[in-house]
């Protein structure tokens, strides 16, 4: 599940950094006031827990092993912003010290496992749990579904990220990064997660929540079971939309890039087929392409010019994503006077 | 001996993790080229080197970067056994993952194998590029982590404007990872020492769930205890960090030479279509 360095292009890695930084910024702003309280040790211990959970190899029928992540559980128990920090920290420690996941790819890994996964899972949890009482069975089932859904969203994102690499960055048909297209990468990621790892994650999430209910109900007191859920749900839906929109830099970065400008026919010559996903992507991203690539980019552009356009388009992609998230933050900002007081009482 | 059970596998993983960390600290204390540099310089240079490693298109430049990194390893007195282990870990895994690409990627045939399999030139180049890229990235990352002490790295992150909450949580999480690892190791060892025959799969999974639950419960309880200890010692949300020392001339020199080398590799690569 962790993407190592070298499997994704620098543009993809930078785009993911652009995606994760606003989330880290908002999370650190939101958690700053909690630096005094019990949240800091709770965060650290949760982070360590997530780290260790990822080391457990669950025996899987068929001889191999899979591992759970635990970030959805963190989102349900600590809240989504704290989950972003706790999971990110676990991933950073893994990348820095144990070579599990790349360093340039920290942005991608933290975004997929630390933001997309807990937010998607948390959204499902809130949706399914509704306003049911804290100790109800419905919440446990909601947690299991959330874990299952969250890890599969993450697996899909990893599959998409790896799968678009050979389509966007190839030279004479030679893949420069991960060599498998979408038609291999996505099923390769999704099948084990839809079957086994998803179940493991669901069990970890549900069991974890049950334990917290039974032994530490005061920890969960901060998760509002009733109240103004409409606004919260709206903001959650916005966030999930943002996650989906965030996939776009992959396409945007490539659209202006020197090596990614193939039409479907050219691609068919290069790779031998036109993936159905690409056909859609291409139509989707045609529009912004001529705007900034045509004026300065004649067919005979030199290599350094092409490289410049490549870097520029990466920066534009990151800028757009960041602007989007900051805009989102402005939307989210006014929502939470009572939410904050609830959070700081934690 | 029968197939290694997941218990033993996890146990071995944990032991390696712990041992690896202790060993890392030991290397970081040796006197060597990279050990002498400021952590901030190393963080910046490493970031640049990783970007360059990921951008290089020609195999020749990738090899040049690899050689450069190996020289750095030697100058920092990092034992060759570590280089071999690093070179055999993730890159070999990558090779295993990428091998089917040899046959799957269409292109002019390079080699005909039995069963009608054909290795294509494009496929072979794809796999070689990926392998070189992953190896250089792993070595670049290892160069920083092996030669920098954890406390120095945290201080460097703080001066690079990483938000306080991240650095504090990172510092504490790193410490408690080992507490929890030890706990799991004890659990596994206790289980192992009471086991005579192979444990069936369902039983293993059941036990695993319990172990995770214990771990989780312990994490929550420890966090409460840690909080109480922090309050008792007067923690008010303002952890004190050591003041970072100023960069020496050697640091500036290394920064400029290192960046220049990376930039040179990158530019040569760009000019070489």
């Amino acid at each position: 599940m962790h993407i190592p360095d070298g499997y994704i292009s620098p543009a993809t890695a930078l785009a993911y950094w652009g995606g994760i930084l606003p989330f880290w910024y908002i999370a650190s702003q939101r958690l700053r006031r909690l630096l005094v309280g019990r949240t800091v040790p709770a965060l650290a211990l949760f982070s360590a827990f997530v780290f260790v959970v990822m080391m457990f190899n669950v025996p899987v029928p068929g001889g191999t092993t899979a591992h759970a992540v635990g970030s959805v559980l963190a989102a349900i128990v600590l809240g989504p912003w704290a989950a972003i920090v706790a999971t990110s920290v676990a991933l950073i420690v893994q990348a820095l010290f144990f070579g599990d996941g790349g360093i340039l790819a920290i942005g991608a890994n933290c975004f997929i496992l630390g933001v997309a996964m807990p937010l998607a899972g948390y959204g499902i949890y809130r949706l399914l749990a509704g306003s049911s009482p804290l100790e109800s069975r419905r919440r446990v089932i909601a947690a299991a579904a959330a874990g299952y859904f969250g890890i599969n969203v993450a697996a899909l994102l990893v599959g998409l990220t790896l799968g678009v690499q050979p389509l966007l960055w190839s030279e004479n048909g030679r893949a420069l990064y991960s060599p498998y297209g979408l038609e291999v990468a996505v099923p390769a990621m999704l099948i084990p997660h839809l079957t086994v790892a998803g179940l493991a994650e669901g069990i970890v999430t549900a069991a974890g929540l049950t334990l917290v209910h039974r032994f530490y109900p005061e920890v969960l007191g901060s998760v509002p079971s009733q109240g103004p859920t409409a606004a919260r749900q709206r903001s959650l839906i916005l966030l999930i939309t943002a996650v989906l929109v965030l996939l776009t830099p992959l396409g945007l970065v490539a659209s202006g890039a020197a090596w990614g400008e193939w039409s479907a026919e050219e691609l068919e010559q290069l790779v031998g087929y036109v993936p159905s996903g690409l056909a859609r992507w291409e139509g989707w991203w045609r529009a912004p392409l001529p705007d900034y690539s045509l004026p300065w980019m004649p067919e005979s552009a030199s290599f350094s010019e092409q490289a410049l356009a490549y870097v520029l388009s990466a920066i534009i992609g990151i800028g757009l994503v960041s602007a989007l998230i900051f805009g989102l933050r402005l939307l989210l900002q006014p929502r939470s006077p009572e939410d904050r007081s609830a959070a700081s009482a934690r | 001996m029968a197939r290694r059970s997941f218990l033993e596998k996890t146990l071995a993983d944990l032991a390696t993790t712990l041992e690896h960390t202790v060993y890392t600290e030991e290397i970081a204390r040796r006197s060597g080229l990279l050990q002498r540099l400021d952590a901030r310089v190393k963080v910046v240079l490493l970031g640049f080197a990783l970007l360059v490693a990921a951008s290089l298109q020609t195999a020749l430049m990738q090899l040049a970067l690899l050689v450069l990194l190996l020289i750095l390893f030697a100058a920092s007195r990092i034992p060759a056994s570590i280089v071999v282990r690093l070179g055999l870990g993730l890159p070999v895994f990558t090779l295993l993952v990428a091998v089917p690409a040899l046959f799957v990627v269409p292109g002019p045939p390079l080699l005909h194998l039995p069963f009608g399999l054909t290795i294509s030139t494009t496929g072979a180049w794809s796999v070689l590029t990926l392998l070189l890229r992953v190896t250089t990235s792993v070595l670049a990352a290892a160069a920083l982590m092996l030669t920098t002490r954890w406390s120095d790295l945290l201080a460097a992150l703080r001066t690079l404007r990483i938000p306080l909450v991240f650095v504090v949580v990172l510092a504490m999480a790193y410490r408690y990872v080992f507490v929890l690892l030890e706990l799991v190791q004890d659990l596994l060892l206790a289980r192992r020492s009471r086991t005579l025959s192979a444990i069936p799969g369902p039983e293993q999974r059941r036990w695993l769930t319990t172990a995770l639950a214990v771990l989780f419960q312990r994490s929550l309880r420890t966090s409460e205890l840690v909080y109480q200890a922090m309050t008792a010692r007067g923690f008010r949300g303002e952890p004190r960090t050591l003041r970072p020392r100023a960069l020496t001339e050697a640091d500036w020199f290394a920064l400029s030479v290192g960046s220049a080398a990376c930039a040179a590799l990158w530019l040569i690569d760009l000019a070489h279509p």
Side-chain angles (χ1 to χ4, degrees):
Chain A
M1 187 71 111
H2 302 59
I3 300 175
D5 274 333
Y7 279 63
I8 56 174
S9 73
T12 315
L14 287 182
Y16 267 120
W17 276 99
I20 187 81
L21 285 178
F23 280 97
W24 278 347
Y25 175 74
I26 302 169
S28 65
Q29 293 295 310
R30 295 212 160 201
L31 297 176
R32 201 185 352 223
R33 68 188 70 242
L34 304 179
L35 209 55
V36 190
R38 0 174 90 80
T39 317
V40 167
L43 265 181
L45 262 299
F46 230 102
S47 204
F49 174 73
V50 168
F51 179 100
V52 179
V53 163
M54 286 196 249
M55 290 197 69
F56 266 87
N57 299 305
V58 185
V60 165
T64 54
T65 54
H67 72 78
V69 179
S71 62
V72 177
L73 177 61
I76 293 172
V77 175
L78 296 175
W81 294 108
I84 290 175
V85 175
T87 321
S88 297
V89 164
L91 290 168
I92 290 169
V93 170
Q94 280 180 331
L96 289 180
F97 287 91
F98 307 105
D100 204 359
I103 296 210
L104 204 58
I106 280 179
N109 286 324
C110 287
F111 187 85
I112 292 172
L113 293 174
V115 173
M117 178 175 167
L119 287 191
Y122 188 68
I124 289 292
Y125 173 73
R126 293 296 308 269
L127 220 68
L128 293 185
S131 54
S132 57
L134 271 180
E135 58 285 343
S136 67
R137 185 167 283 264
R138 186 171 157 190
R139 275 187 186 261
V140 178
I141 294 168
Y148 182 83
F149 181 72
I151 201 167
N152 278 298
V153 165
L156 178 66
L157 277 174
V158 173
L160 286 176
T161 309
L162 294 179
V164 296
Q165 300 302 317
L167 302 180
L168 303 182
W169 287 279
S170 294
E171 215 179 32
N172 309 323
R174 165 169 80 96
L176 291 171
Y177 304 98
S178 177
Y180 299 106
L182 289 167
E183 79 289 351
V184 178
V186 171
M189 283 308 295
L190 270 185
I191 290 169
H193 285 89
L194 280 172
T195 49
V196 178
L199 289 181
E201 187 70 33
I203 292 170
V204 164
T205 313
L209 186 68
T210 316
L211 265 173
V212 178
H213 276 152
R214 194 165 300 164
F215 296 104
Y216 306 92
E218 73 280 359
V219 178
L220 280 175
S222 58
V223 178
S225 54
Q226 318 98 349
T229 46
R232 283 188 135 242
Q233 268 169 8
R234 202 171 47 228
S235 57
L236 257 169
I237 289 165
L238 270 174
L239 273 175
I240 293 168
T241 322
V243 167
L244 293 177
V245 173
L246 272 164
L247 268 179
T248 57
L250 297 175
L252 190 62
V253 162
S255 64
W259 302 285
E261 285 181 2
W262 309 302
S263 62
E265 300 90 76
E266 280 169 320
L267 244 178
E268 195 167 22
Q269 283 173 1
L270 286 172
V271 198
Y273 60 89
V274 181
S276 60
L278 182 97
R280 209 173 54 232
W281 280 61
E282 205 192 16
W284 187 262
W285 288 111
R286 263 299 124 146
L289 188 144
D291 287 339
Y292 58 82
S293 102
L294 269 188
W296 345 306
M297 291 282 296
E299 283 297 302
S300 57
S302 77
F303 223 83
S304 50
E305 279 177 299
Q306 290 187 354
L308 189 69
Y310 176 80
V311 172
L312 268 178
S313 50
I315 294 170
I316 292 168
I318 293 165
L320 277 177
V321 174
S322 314
L324 195 108
I325 297 297
F326 277 106
L328 206 78
R329 191 192 170 210
L330 286 181
L331 273 178
L332 293 178
Q333 195 78 314
R335 80 177 161 93
S336 51
E338 71 275 300
D339 188 37
R340 274 200 196 145
S341 56
S344 49
R346 200 183 290 172
Chain B
M1 199 182 101
R3 210 155 50 99
R4 283 207 311 172
S5 74
F6 94 98
L7 275 186
E8 282 165 55
K9 224 172 132 203
T10 311
L11 199 56
D13 276 0
L14 295 175
T16 325
T17 306
L18 287 172
E19 182 199 9
H20 175 74
T21 320
V22 174
Y23 195 39
T24 305
E25 280 281 307
E26 198 258 309
I27 294 172
R29 280 163 209 264
R30 293 183 189 178
S31 65
L33 179 66
L34 283 172
Q35 284 91 335
R36 230 169 284 159
L37 294 182
D38 192 279
R40 286 166 287 176
V41 171
K42 281 189 276 184
V43 168
V44 171
L45 273 182
L46 162 91
F48 196 19
L50 274 174
L51 261 181
V52 170
S55 319
L56 292 178
Q57 314 261 330
T58 53
L60 192 67
M61 285 303 110
Q62 287 186 333
L63 268 179
L65 182 62
L66 190 63
V67 171
L68 216 61
L69 284 168
L70 288 177
I71 294 174
L72 268 185
F73 267 67
S76 307
R77 300 176 62 192
I78 298 171
S81 60
I82 292 222
V83 181
V84 172
R85 205 185 59 197
L86 285 172
L88 285 181
L90 192 56
V92 165
F93 170 75
T94 303
L95 192 62
L96 283 180
V97 170
V99 150
L102 288 176
F103 312 102
V104 170
V105 176
L110 178 73
L111 201 67
H112 290 282
L113 294 181
F115 306 112
L117 289 172
T118 311
I119 295 183
S120 66
T121 323
T122 7
W125 271 112
S126 292
V127 172
L128 180 72
T129 318
L130 183 67
L131 198 64
L132 274 174
R133 207 186 289 291
V134 170
T135 314
T136 43
S137 303
V138 166
L139 286 185
L144 171 81
M145 295 322 300
L146 286 173
T147 60
T148 315
R149 282 159 75 177
W150 176 236
S151 48
D152 295 340
L153 188 69
L154 279 183
L157 292 181
R158 189 67 195 115
T159 48
L160 294 172
R161 310 268 160 184
I162 307 290
L164 190 62
V165 79
F166 268 92
V167 178
V168 174
V169 172
L170 199 55
M172 288 179 62
Y174 182 71
R175 179 159 298 189
Y176 286 104
V177 157
F178 296 105
V179 176
L180 294 188
L181 280 180
E182 259 177 33
L183 174 68
V184 176
Q185 214 170 9
D186 288 350
L187 281 172
L188 287 167
L189 260 181
R191 169 80 208 200
R192 178 93 186 87
S193 59
R194 281 180 275 125
T195 307
L196 287 176
S197 63
I199 310 166
E203 171 68 24
Q204 285 191 9
R205 279 188 279 276
R206 209 171 306 133
W207 184 83
L208 185 85
T209 322
T210 326
L212 275 176
V214 169
L215 188 70
F216 183 54
Q217 216 180 337
R218 201 56 176 267
S219 314
L220 288 173
R221 194 182 306 154
T222 312
S223 97
E224 184 62 27
L225 291 177
V226 169
Y227 172 66
Q228 285 170 2
M230 279 160 66
T231 327
R233 285 166 179 75
F235 178 78
R236 288 161 166 238
E238 294 283 330
R240 279 145 223 265
T241 46
L242 291 171
R243 283 184 73 81
R245 62 192 168 90
L247 292 184
T248 63
E249 283 190 356
D251 288 329
W252 287 112
F253 182 68
L255 189 60
S256 45
V257 170
S259 325
C262 289
L265 280 179
W266 194 42
L267 287 176
I268 295 172
D269 185 69
L270 278 183
H272 194 280

